[in-house]
């Protein structure tokens, strides 16, 4: 099976940079995804890393190191609207039709 | 496109009652799934479907049934509601093509309380 570990909470101030880590334990690997969820809302897809390295999408970047079983989401120029929960997710290697989510990191951005 | 729609948005049930949560998508996605979300526990997969007529169990399937008679619809049935099923339920869909398989589109959720 797979397990994903994320910090439960991260705090930062507007304009800062924050990194949300995700470590995973899995016998195989099919890439790492990130989702954002605002309070009371639905998760929305942010990014997907199939290969090692950094993927940049505007203020958000996602990094993957398969050799270290580790990835992170980097949020730059933080804004109040970035306050949300962030989830990493991987495919179940026993059944790649199953997407397994981490327990999520709650990011609070302060003025 | 409406995307993924779910009804109802809120529901209160008594223990032992049954009900169906509706989910529909208009993106012609092959893959559809149901998750439940409890505080501090992330999203847990209940059931999923890779196409019409095909369903399979996720991590927490007990107490739930699904069917997929059309590509668009994927209803979730609670057979005999229990307080432990109080949760927020999300339906999601995606294509199964390449890396796009990892981009799940979620509905707005159904907030269910079982008394």
């Amino acid at each position: 099976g797979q397990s994903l570990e994320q910090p439960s909470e991260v705090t930062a101030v507007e304009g800062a940079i924050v990194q949300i880590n995700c470590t995973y334990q899995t016998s195989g690997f099919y890439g790492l995804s990130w989702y954002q969820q605002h309070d009371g809302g639905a998760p929305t897809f942010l990014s997907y890393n199939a290969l090692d390295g950094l993927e940049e999408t505007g203020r958000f970047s996602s990094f993957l190191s398969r050799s270290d079983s580790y990835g992170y989401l980097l949020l730059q120029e933080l804004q109040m609207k970035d306050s949300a929960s962030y989830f990493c997710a991987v495919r179940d290697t026993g059944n790649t039709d199953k997407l397994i989510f981490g327990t999520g990191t709650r990011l609070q951005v302060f003025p | 496109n409406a995307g993924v729609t779910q009804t109802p948005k809120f529901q209160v049930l008594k223990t032992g009652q049954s009900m169906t949560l509706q989910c529909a998508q208009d993106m012609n996605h092959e893959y559809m799934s149901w998750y439940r979300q409890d505080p501090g526990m992330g999203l847990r997969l209940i059931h999923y479907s890779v196409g019409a007529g095909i369903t399979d169990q996720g991590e927490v399937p007990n107490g739930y049934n699904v069917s997929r008679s059309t590509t668009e619809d994927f209803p979730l049935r609670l057979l005999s509601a229990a307080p432990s099923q109080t949760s927020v339920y999300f339906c999601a869909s995606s294509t199964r093509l390449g890396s796009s398989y990892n981009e799940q589109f979620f509905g707005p959720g159904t907030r269910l309380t079982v008394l």
Side-chain angles (χ1 to χ4, degrees), chain A residues 55-76:
Chain A
E55 297 277 345
E56 298 181 61
T57 308
R59 294 187 297 112
F60 292 6
S61 302
S62 55
F63 173 82
L64 177 65
S65 170
R66 289 175 296 170
S67 60
D68 295 325
S69 298
Y70 164 74
Y72 65 73
L73 183 68
L74 190 73
L75 296 83
Q76 302 181 73

Side-chain angles (χ1 to χ4, degrees), chain A residues 24-111:
Chain A
Y24 57 88
Q25 294 178 352
T26 176
S27 56
F29 187 70
Y30 294 92
L32 186 71
S33 303
W34 288 94
Y35 286 78
Q36 178 192 59
Q37 184 181 31
H38 287 98
D39 284 349
T44 56
F45 174 80
L46 289 177
S47 66
Y48 170 68
N49 293 67
L51 303 174
D52 289 356
L54 192 68
E55 297 277 345
E56 298 181 61
T57 308
R59 294 187 297 112
F60 292 6
S61 302
S62 55
F63 173 82
L64 177 65
S65 170
R66 289 175 296 170
S67 60
D68 295 325
S69 298
Y70 164 74
Y72 65 73
L73 183 68
L74 190 73
L75 296 83
Q76 302 181 73
E77 302 173 18
L78 280 174
Q79 302 175 9
M80 296 293 291
K81 67 178 182 180
D82 297 329
S83 292
S85 293
Y86 293 85
F87 297 89
C88 57
V90 295
R91 293 244 158 239
D92 184 326
T93 52
N95 180 343
T96 56
D97 288 316
K98 295 182 181 179
L99 190 62
I100 307 300
F101 284 82
T103 53
T105 299
R106 184 174 180 83
L107 170 64
Q108 294 191 62
V109 180
F110 294 98

